[in-house]
Structures are given as C-alpha cells and as structure tokens.
Amino acid sequence: MTGDRGADFEEFAQARSGQLLRTACLLTGDWHTAEDLVQETLGKLFRGWRRIRHMEAPVAYAHTTLVRTFLSVRRLKRSSERPSEVLPEPPPVVGADIELRLTLLQGLARLSPADRVVLVLRYWEDRSVEETAEVLRISPVAVRVRAKRALDRLRALLGAELVDLGMAC
Amino acid sequence: MSVRADERFERDLPDAMRSAVAEFRGPSPDLIERGIRRGRQQRRTRMAVGATVVAVLAVVLGQIGGSSVLDGAFGRSVDEQGPAAVAPTGRLPLGRELIPYLRTALPGGGRTDRFEPEGAAPVPGDSRISGTYTGPGGSTSLAVELTRPLPGSVEDLWWGAHCAPNAPPGYTCTRSPEPDGGTLTMSVGPVGTDGQRVSRQVVYTRADAVQVHVYVGAKALSAAVALGTTEMIAIARHPVWTRFGDDALPVDRNVFVGSDSPLPRAVKVGPASGTAPVTFPVTRVGRDDSVLTVRLRSTTSAVLTSCPPPDVDFCANVKSADGLPGVAHQAVVDGRVESRSLLVLRPGGRALYLEVRGDPTGAVGQPALTLAELAEVAGSPRWDG
C-alpha cells in the first residue's frame, strides 16, 4: 500500500476503532476477544482498502465486515465459543437482588451468535430491518422473527427491567 | 408478560447497551498496527494459495484437454462444462459448488456477479450463496439456498417455507400445494419508495422435503424488475436441483405388523408405500381415512425439537411415550384438522418424524390418530433398530 493510502487507512482506523470495539464487546462479551475480532476486521479492511476507501459508506461497510467476521467464529484465535442454536437457558431471574442478576453482556453472551448479532444490529447500531437483512443475507421476515425470539430470550434471562445491569468490557 | 412490559424492554434496550459499553477500556495502543500486520499476512497467504491453485488447475485442464479460461473464480471454468448429469445424491452442494447449478437454473440472458457463499450457516449442512443478478430487466441482489429441514422442526416452520401467523404490516404470504406433492410458499415485503417491492421470497418444498429458497431484494439496483415472481418460481422448481435428494434413512415397512405394533388397536393399517419416507394408509371408525408418513433421518442437532416463540399457536413441545423431547404440530384449516405431526429425537442420533394427514373430503374433519397417540407411536423402541 502506498504511503498516502496507508496513512489514509490509519486515519480511518483511528477514528473508527473505538466504535468497532464497542460493537465487538457487545457481540463477544469479553474485551480481549473483542480486540481479536476488531484486529481481524481491520486486517480485512486493510487488504481491501484500495476499493473500500471509495465506497459511499465505508464506515457501514466496516461494521458489516465486523459482524460477518464474528459469525465466522473459526477465525477468532482466542475464542472458545462454539456456535449453537440451543443454549442451556437458566430459569428466568426475578426479584430485586441486583448482585444475582446477570449483566446485560452476560445475558447477550447466553444467546446464540445469530440472535446476538440481530439485537446488536437492530438496537445498538440502529439498523433498519432491511439493512439488517442485507448484512445477514437473510430475508426481512426472518430478521423480524429472529429479533422477536432473541428479545424474548433475553428478557427471560434478565427479567423485565433493564436497569442497573452492571457494566463489563 | 404484558405487551407494555414487552415494549418497555425493547425501548430500553438501546440505552442499556450504551451503558454496558460506556466505560469500556478503549482499544490498545497497538491494535491498529496489529490489524495492518494481519492484513499484510493474509494478503501474502492468499497470493501463495492462488498461485498454487492456478498451477494445479493448469495441469488438470491440460490432462482433460479443455481450454477453459480461468476468470478468477472457479465458477466460470466449471460453468463452461456445466453440471454433470449424475444420479441424485444425499449431499448438498456447499458454497461455490452451488454457482454452476444456479447459472443453469437462471433465466436465459442473465448473468451473475460476485456470488459468495454465506458465512456460518444456521444449520450445518445447508448451503446458500448470494450475489448480484443482472438480467435484461435490470439488476438485483439474489440469494439461493438449498435446505433439508426436518418437517416440523424450527427450520422448517420458521425459515420461509411456512407463513408466520403474525406477519408484520405490509408483508403478505401464501402457501399452496403443488401437483407434484410439494408446496410453494411466496412471501412479499412492502412497497419501497421506488415503487418496487422491498423483498420477495419463494420457497419450493419438494415432496422429499428438500427446499429451494430464492430470495430477491431488499436493495433493488435498478428501477426495473430484474427477476419477477414467475422467474423466481422457475428457478426454485428448476430440474437441476433434483440432483440433490433427501438423506432419509430407510424405514422398516413391517414396523406396524404384529401384536406389539405401536399403533392403537382401533387403527387399521394398510400396506406400506415407499422406503424413505414410508407411507401407510390408516383407517379408524369415526375418523377420516388417513395417510401416516414415517421419516427417519440421522441428525445430531438438538435445535430441531424446539418450538418457535410462544405466540405461535400451532406448535407445542411434547415428549414421546418414553420421555424423549419432541415438537408437535397441528394444521387446522376451516375448522378441519388437516394434519398432525410429531418430530422426536430418538437415541443414537436419529430423528423420527410422524405425520398423519386426513382425507380432505372426509366427513369428520379429523385424522385417524391424535397427537397423544402419535407420541405413543414415537415412543416405541422399534425405531431404534
């Protein structure tokens, strides 16, 4: 990569790495794994930077690349996660004992990767149903169904209220 | 839980996510440098692999005597030869293997660009590719997928082959039987600002339960309609896909013979048809004459016996008579129970699917077996042979 393009990419990466890392945190639930994911994503963006820098929305492309890389779990070196549609869901947590309640990240981590991605795209990145469908390469109807299911599961894990769920990452 | 509590949860989720990452550490100082180093490393690896592949193919093509020109992707060189006519196989094509078959199924005069396999598929063994199709009418995004969900499983009920009971506004869905014993499901999204439908999907479920999904949209790349519903149906029903068959296990045609048959004594069973699946005519006084279908398949995925969210009223998690988890489905049309089915995971990685379907012209409107009786049948150790 020539000097100008290299500097151009570094500037882009500096500006976006924080937000990419936040998204990665929500997806992975762990700071180290999130960094690995962002590192892998930056590598892909760097390889294709000649083309990406001229795109209409390189930032959106970067986040899409992050999400798709996350779904390709095999590429994460330190990830011990195994994709599974069925997770042993604990009984719903009720009551006001905050110490016993799962954090939001712990709750997200108990969802399947596909369910987690839909919630992060829809509620963290505020993408529309159609945009989410494009990223995941599924139909908008499937996005709505998956989002509803994921919300139901998350609510069952965290209880009805989303306050004081602690912080992580 | 009340609807208002649901809405509050959904409304509060974005803020909760922001709070969860508000005080995070931030990236390491060397993260970007590591990313660049990773990109350079991947670039070097890709070039080395590409050179090796070109060398190998040159030798292979030289031996065949062909003169195919490699155009970057494998798809072009395979396409020149076309997919070979072979006997049906139980193995689905994966990734780029789908491309030559898709090109055969596409309407004449069109071309495909930048087709890529999907990432990690929802269910291992399924295959999907997506890319851009350009035809005489314009360009559009196109995705095609082959699946083989177990009938009655979540994948069968929720990924396009059935119409969801609570479709959002603007979406329409129809599901209709086909003369060949299959079904055709068409779902259409709302109209976008350009006057075209945001998305369309066709799922053709063959009689052997293999499904071909064709999805067009959501981003139309030109105002004209590149692929209409008629063309999408033609792609889904193209004979090229018949190469890929079901992978059902053979069923003992004598499974209901003998005094210890798992069927209720009141049910009379006729001679079997087929081997995988097998169908049995069943009759019973006071019920409609029915057909009982038995399908066995190897599987290791426990996800297949989960029901969709609780607002779906036609599915229930059940247990077989010997306590194994399963999912039951009942289809009611105009007050008639059209069919009942049960999917149970037997030991040894076998999924058992039972479906009883009543004669649509029967006077009673009830198939010959109840769901409880299907659960009894599914609990027999005869299926573990």
Side-chain angles (χ1 to χ4, degrees), chain A residues 12 63 142 150 161:
Chain A
F12 174 84
H63 282 257
E161 300 298 327

Side-chain angles (χ1 to χ4, degrees), chain A residues 37-52:
Chain A
L37 175 58
V38 173
Q39 177 184 314
E40 191 72 20
T41 302
L42 290 176
K44 290 183 178 183
L45 297 174
F46 177 79
R47 266 197 356 250
W49 186 242
R50 187 179 304 179
R51 169 178 55 91
I52 296 168

